[in-house]
Amino acid sequence: MFVKYFSKTLVALISIFSSSCLLDAAKPWQMNFQDPATPISEGIINFHNHIMFFLFMVVIFVSWLMFRGLYLFNETSGSKAEKWTHSTILEIVWTIIPAIILAVIAIPSFSLLFSMDEIIDPAITLKVVAHQWYWSYEFSDYSSLNGGESLNFDSYMIAEEDLIGGGLRLLEVDNRVVLPIKTHIRILITSADVLHSWAVPSFGVKVDACPGRLNQTSVFIKRIGV
């Protein structure tokens, strides 16, 4: 109960100072994740907050031990350390406690990893092909709507000097991908030349595009966004 209360309090404090940064694009001095748009992204943020509690506790405890040792046993304090070099109880404690902490961290991490690899029968399949300086997208599910040809298009990044007011530098493209919300979507990713990486932080997705290899991920978008 205390762990859950502390985690929620910590998240609330961080959100107060970084609420202006919770958008679909990175902002200057952003201190938090982007606003999640999928269950996977929400799971990643919750797992991060879960780990942060143990991180703070370990850092505080180790810092206390270090400063206590430096303060009590420096050359001017006159304190004398014990001469013993072995303690069965101490060895059991410093073995079991880290093991318990790792188990508490590992259980939700395994659940998150399995949920990220779970393949659900998709309603739409998006094929992503990486090229140097642009991406190609293809919706093959609706080929019957276009005379037997799949819907495909290229997406080029807009140069900085061509941006219109409010455009996002290095993120704006001439043809955006439009995906439906509350729909299971399968994404197939590959590359036509060299290694690339297809990433959408709000989706919690980052998949490598490798030549000659087809990588797959799935998303379920819960809200409207850009």
Side-chain angles (χ1 to χ4, degrees), residues 129-169:
V129 181
H131 304 271
Q132 291 190 15
W133 304 111
Y134 73 99
W135 295 86
S136 296
Y137 297 96
E138 178 180 333
F139 293 93
S140 57
D141 300 273
Y142 302 100
S143 58
S144 59
L145 301 179
N146 194 21
E149 298 181 0
S150 59
L151 175 62
N152 56 79
F153 58 92
D154 296 330
S155 181
Y156 288 84
M157 183 178 65
I158 298 178
E160 185 175 356
E161 58 271 15
D162 297 331
L163 288 175
I164 304 175
L168 300 174
R169 176 177 175 270

Side-chain angles (χ1 to χ4, degrees), residues 82-96:
E82 295 291 340
K83 300 293 185 178
W84 56 271
T85 59
H86 178 76
S87 174
T88 303
I89 296 177
L90 181 60
E91 292 178 0
I92 292 175
V93 169
W94 73 30
T95 300
I96 292 179

Side-chain angles (χ1 to χ4, degrees), residues 7-27:
S7 300
K8 289 184 176 180
T9 304
L10 182 62
V11 173
L13 291 175
I14 295 175
S15 299
I16 291 174
F17 291 102
S18 60
S19 59
S20 61
C21 299
L22 298 180
L23 303 172
D24 287 336
K27 302 290 290 185

Side-chain angles (χ1 to χ4, degrees), residues 8 10 30 37 55 57 67-68 70 78 86 108 112 124 159 191 196 199 208 214-215 218-219:
K8 289 184 176 180
L10 182 62
Q30 182 170 335
L55 176 63
M57 293 298 102
F67 285 112
R68 180 179 173 83
L70 292 172
H86 178 76
L112 180 60
I124 297 176
S191 174
H196 299 270
D208 291 334
L214 195 65
N215 291 328
S218 60
V219 296

